[in-house]
Amino acid sequence: MAAEIVNPRSDSGTDQDDGAEPLDSFDPAFALHRGGKMAVQATVPIRDKDDLSLAYTPGVARVCTAIAEQPELVNDYTWKSSVVAVVTDGTAVLGLGDIGPEASLPVMEGKAILFKQFGGVDAVPIALDCTDVDDIVETVVRLAPSFGGVNLEDISAPRCFEIERRLQECLDIPVFHDDQHGTAVVTLAALRNAARLSGREIGQLRAVVSGAGAAGVAIARMLVEAGIGDVAVADRKGVVSAGRKDLTPVKRELASFTNKAGLTGSLEDALAGADVFIGVSGGTVAEAAVASMAQGAFVFAMANPDPEVHPEVAHRHAAVVATGRSDFPNQINNVLAFPGIFAGALQVRATRITEGMKIAAAEALAAVVGDDLAADYVIPSPFDERVAPAVTAAVAAAARAEGVARR
């Protein structure tokens, strides 16, 4: 039975030493964070010497010996199979950039409590004081015996691609970079429902993605897997196309499976006649470019806090508008995906998270909306209690179907 994450609301800690008023006296965010947002709680009682002798020595020795003889028993007699490591190097934290491991901890704690709140999954924040790819991979591999899965978080591109790939090759537990795949899963779910609302299929749509970083690459890949008609990705220098001579290895691979139409030029050029805009880059897209899109277009402007296209502008030209913000309808929020994805993978002790498992998660998430589908409701709320169970069940079933489940 996994330990619960609780908020002790601790009054521990010291105020500023310069005599200034504590930050949490006037800022509720600091007040909430004092003492941290999580703690470890035991799931068994230690009331007397008998409890102590079972939970620790000598009883624990029998369990250790059994695991040494049959290593797979670690999943039954420790919390390994129900706990995730949330790993970062602090190089791409939210919209704050490279702020370092210590400054990333409030975000990693937040991610851990979201795992618990929305998926019933225990998670441990691990902020690494290294940024070299080899160092990160080696460190996580050495930590892996304690965990049932690894969630990579806020690691800058393009290093994040290699780190995830190498860890997936080294480990037999799920390794998942949420900035890539969580965003892609929720985007696909919303797009499926937007298409359904308009009476179209995914295969009839042409999409343009602004941003060729972690999220943009993963979204493009998932849309292709889902059968999108065509998708082009634009970076700061324009549309990623096979003819460009300045592409990184990641972008060369991206060009190999996107942009079937052979588009060149700017993002704005690519938007002319497009059915879908997906923004994961920041910046501002001119209203004229949005107006040039196809009739009944979809605009998913997901940059935070400032969407690439403000919803008020987008609504003048698009049939469905989504953002990454909670104060507008149709929030594309990763919390809709990663808790259930990991819960499903851990439930069946999957060796990895496959493309099929991610597609299944997106389909399950889209299905939660059901008959309530509307232009301002193509994706459910993170607080919809149906979300995590639906995603968990779909991911577990897909893992079994794809042969990566161990139970």
Side-chain angles (χ1 to χ4, degrees):
M1 185 174 182
E4 291 187 13
I5 291 175
V6 298
N7 187 345
R9 309 293 298 187
S10 170
D11 290 329
S12 63
T14 58
D15 293 339
Q16 294 164 304
D17 294 330
D18 58 4
E21 197 171 358
L23 291 169
D24 52 355
S25 66
F26 57 88
D27 189 327
F30 281 90
L32 182 141
H33 282 79
R34 181 175 286 278
K37 298 193 293 284
M38 57 182 291
V40 175
Q41 179 174 298
T43 62
V44 296
I46 307 292
R47 297 161 299 195
D48 51 37
K49 65 181 181 62
D50 291 332
D51 289 343
L52 182 59
S53 69
L54 289 174
Y56 201 55
T57 184
V60 72
R62 299 198 295 275
V63 180
C64 292
T65 301
I67 293 171
E69 294 173 352
Q70 300 181 61
E72 68 277 6
L73 292 179
V74 70
N75 294 300
D76 296 312
Y77 296 105
T78 73
W79 78 335
K80 175 183 169 72
S81 65
S82 60
V83 66
V84 170
V86 180
V87 178
T88 189
D89 64 356
T91 55
V93 181
L94 298 179
L96 304 174
D98 185 355
I99 60 175
E102 287 87 354
S104 77
L105 270 175
V107 177
M108 300 310 115
E109 287 184 5
K111 196 79 174 190
I113 64 175
L114 295 180
F115 264 109
K116 188 66 175 181
Q117 177 70 30
F118 294 103
V121 174
D122 290 292
V124 177
I126 297 176
L128 302 179
D129 188 16
C130 58
T131 58
D132 179 76
V133 169
D134 291 339
D135 289 345
I136 292 173
V137 170
E138 180 181 2
T139 302
V140 175
V141 168
R142 292 183 184 279
L143 289 169
S146 295
F147 299 99
V150 175
N151 184 84
L152 299 174
E153 188 75 20
D154 293 349
I155 298 173
S156 63
R159 296 174 312 117
C160 59
F161 301 111
E162 183 180 357
I163 290 168
E164 183 188 47
R165 176 185 59 78
R166 287 175 56 181
L167 286 173
Q168 288 171 337
E169 292 171 354
C170 293
L171 301 176
D172 65 348
I173 57 175
V175 177
F176 185 85
H177 185 209
D178 186 49
D179 300 326
Q180 294 182 59
H181 311 300
T183 305
V185 166
V186 183
T187 300
L188 175 59
L191 185 58
R192 281 194 179 282
N193 275 339
R196 179 162 69 94
L197 182 67
S198 67
R200 288 177 285 178
E201 300 291 334
I202 289 281
Q204 297 174 274
L205 304 177
R206 178 171 74 82
V208 177
V209 177
S210 174
V217 171
I219 288 169
R221 188 180 300 277
M222 182 159 283
L223 292 184
V224 170
E225 289 281 341
I228 191 82
D230 196 10
V231 55
V233 181
D235 62 11
R236 291 182 179 87
K237 297 181 179 179
V239 176
V240 175
S241 59
R244 276 179 49 180
K245 305 301 182 184
D246 61 343
L247 299 181
T248 65
V250 170
K251 291 179 183 179
R252 281 199 298 273
E253 182 188 6
L254 179 65
S256 73
F257 64 85
T258 61
N259 194 15
K260 291 186 294 187
L263 299 176
T264 58
S266 68
L267 168 71
E268 288 76 12
D269 294 334
L271 281 176
D275 302 292
V276 186
F277 168 75
I278 298 171
V280 284
S281 65
T284 301
V285 176
E287 181 171 359
V290 180
S292 76
M293 296 177 69
Q295 185 174 3
F298 313 140
V299 171
F300 292 3
M302 301 188 294
N304 264 317
D306 300 314
E308 293 88 349
V309 184
H310 192 279
E312 183 178 332
V313 173
H315 278 296
R316 292 201 281 264
H317 308 285
V320 176
V321 177
T323 72
R325 287 174 41 162
S326 60
D327 53 344
F328 293 111
N330 296 327
Q331 184 190 18
I332 307 296
N333 191 331
N334 289 12
V335 78
L336 288 162
F338 69 82
I341 289 173
F342 267 99
L346 294 176
Q347 185 181 96
V348 298
R349 296 179 187 165
T351 56
R352 58 193 177 93
I353 295 172
T354 65
E355 290 300 314
M357 292 161 71
K358 288 180 279 188
I359 294 287
E363 291 174 347
L365 183 55
V368 170
V369 170
D371 294 336
D372 295 323
L373 180 65
D376 61 355
Y377 184 56
V378 297
I379 199 74
S381 163
F383 295 98
D384 189 323
E385 295 182 353
R386 299 171 296 171
V387 167
V391 174
T392 299
V395 169
R400 291 190 177 103
E402 297 204 346
V404 296
R406 284 179 282 205
R407 72 169 186 178

